[in-house]
Amino acid sequence: MSDVKFEYQFKDRDFNKLKEIVYARTGITLGEEKRQLVYSRFAKRIRKLNLQNFSEYIEYFEKNEESEVTDFINAITTNFTSFFREPHHFEFLKNFIAEREMASRYCRIWSAGCSSGEEPYSIAMTVLDSIANPDAWDIKILCTDIDTSVLRKAEQGVYDAARVEGVDERLRSRFFLRGKGARNGLVKIRDEVRTNMVFRQLNLLDEFPFKKGFDLIFFRNVIIYFDKDTQRKIFSKIAKLQQPGDVLIIGHSENLAAVTDKYALIGRTIYQRLDN
Ligand SMILES: C[S@@+](CC[C@H](N)C(=O)[O-])C[C@H]1O[C@@H](n2cnc3c(N)ncnc32)[C@H](O)[C@@H]1O
């Protein structure tokens, strides 16, 4: 395709180079159809840094990799998410927790690619709503993402009230505080929900730093951005963190076919770790 003409010169060579760096740094695969997206995401960096064109930005990146890489990564990730997205997964979670209420009262959950926090807070609210006495439980929810700006938002737990409109009224009044005065129109997740949650930056391409495994992993709407080879590598690391019977949940348009044989499908995009 010929060089695209926009505010900043964006040559084929620039697109190819950016694709290469994005893939190496994040695993995200950018096809030809993402050319416009790549332009608009990095044009913001070019403007901010007062550069003239994409070639200058690439040169800048290569000279200042260490200081630029965080903004570079934050610019290219797609962070779309919502509270209780794919509600059937939270129905499953209720039953999963109810079964443990009778047994261990121990649970380690990982929200991998948690974006701005809507997913892990939906998990935490569901868990709290499903158990009688949280003090009798040992629960931890690890929330990770490669993107530090969404992770900061997740940690703050403050959202536009419009984002929680679809949340069940009972859960909304139990788990959110409504902003007043200057904070009118905002809601904040209550501390009670956050007590067992930990937020950390983690690039899924890197070696996992975990000492213990996870009973349940939410890994939803992340692998769609990766090619099969990257998916295979990540699932091979994930499988090592789970015991037979543990559960892995992926996004509605994703599947594990040709990627891992360590899991069996037990529900809609819900998988159970096999004994292999
Ligand atoms: C579309 S969001 C999914 C959010 C949430 N899981 C959901 O389903 O609503 C995808 C997230 O994956 C993160 N991501 C992309 N590449 C990653 C990588 N290599 N390591 C960790 N997170 C990554 C992005 O930053 C983004 O927040």
Side-chain angles (χ1 to χ4, degrees):
M1 192 183 146
S2 61
D3 297 349
V4 179
K5 294 211 170 39
F6 292 111
E7 181 185 359
Y8 301 110
Q9 191 181 46
F10 185 35
K11 297 181 183 159
D12 284 350
R13 201 182 53 205
D14 302 329
F15 179 51
N16 291 334
K17 186 68 194 169
L18 285 172
K19 273 198 323 194
E20 198 183 296
I21 307 172
V22 167
Y23 183 70
R25 288 290 187 161
T26 69
I28 296 170
T29 308
L30 298 164
E32 183 54 42
E33 76 289 354
K34 294 284 161 66
R35 186 180 280 257
Q36 175 68 53
L37 177 133
V38 169
Y39 177 88
S40 62
R41 298 289 184 84
F42 289 112
K44 289 187 190 132
R45 287 303 300 151
I46 293 173
R47 201 165 297 126
K48 181 117 200 207
L49 294 164
N50 263 320
L51 300 172
Q52 300 304 311
N53 55 49
F54 276 73
S55 303
E56 273 192 18
Y57 178 64
I58 291 164
E59 204 180 310
Y60 176 88
F61 178 84
E62 285 172 337
K63 282 197 187 127
N64 304 278
E65 235 175 288
E66 218 174 298
S67 59
E68 180 59 15
V69 70
T70 301
D71 286 319
F72 178 92
I73 290 174
N74 292 357
I76 199 61
T77 57
T78 295
N79 311 111
F80 178 82
T81 187
S82 58
F83 284 101
F84 295 96
R85 182 180 194 184
E86 300 176 55
H88 58 281
H89 290 157
F90 298 93
E91 288 304 315
F92 173 87
L93 176 59
K94 268 188 217 166
N95 296 329
F96 183 87
I97 292 294
E99 277 170 24
R100 283 171 181 246
E101 179 86 278
M102 318 291 178
S104 65
R105 294 191 178 169
Y106 170 96
C107 197
R108 291 289 176 270
I109 303 175
W110 178 20
S111 167
C114 66
S115 189
S116 38
E118 288 85 339
E119 175 179 281
Y121 286 129
S122 303
I123 296 171
M125 288 188 275
T126 304
V127 168
L128 285 176
D129 197 48
S130 310
I131 61 184
N133 176 13
D135 292 336
W137 276 75
D138 179 1
I139 293 196
K140 290 227 161 26
I141 303 171
L142 174 68
C143 320
T144 67
D145 203 285
I146 193 174
D147 181 330
T148 54
S149 75
V150 284
L151 207 52
R152 216 173 301 128
K153 184 160 176 46
E155 262 193 291
Q156 285 162 355
V158 176
Y159 300 92
D160 283 338
R163 287 194 70 75
V164 300
E165 264 166 21
V167 175
D168 176 82
E169 169 58 36
R170 195 177 52 78
L171 297 183
R172 217 187 324 156
S173 49
R174 179 170 170 198
F175 295 123
F176 287 94
L177 294 162
R178 288 212 155 265
K180 294 195 182 107
R183 301 220 166 113
N184 194 23
L186 297 175
V187 293
K188 187 172 198 288
I189 200 92
R190 285 180 188 270
D191 285 345
E192 165 201 358
V193 183
R194 306 147 62 101
T195 40
N196 298 315
M197 300 174 74
V198 174
F199 296 87
R200 293 273 180 278
Q201 188 199 17
L202 178 71
N203 184 345
L204 293 160
L205 299 189
D206 292 345
E207 215 171 291
F208 292 165
F210 312 124
K211 291 196 190 79
K212 289 193 177 156
F214 296 94
D215 306 284
L216 178 56
I217 299 177
F218 278 72
F219 186 28
R220 308 185 310 159
N221 307 301
V222 182
I223 59 166
I224 29 167
Y225 302 103
F226 300 150
D227 61 17
K228 290 281 176 201
D229 191 41
T230 304
Q231 292 183 22
R232 258 178 232 119
K233 286 182 187 145
I234 294 174
F235 282 115
S236 132
K237 293 191 288 183
I238 284 183
K240 292 196 180 98
L241 295 172
Q242 297 204 289
Q243 302 291 325
D246 289 344
V247 173
L248 170 67
I249 300 183
I250 59 175
H252 63 284
S253 63
E254 301 165 331
N255 70 76
L256 299 186
V259 172
T260 174
D261 60 358
K262 307 277 186 212
Y263 291 88
L265 189 66
I266 56 162
R268 255 167 75 197
T269 51
I270 302 173
Y271 292 81
Q272 191 160 47
R273 181 75 170 89
L274 291 166
D275 191 6
N276 59 0

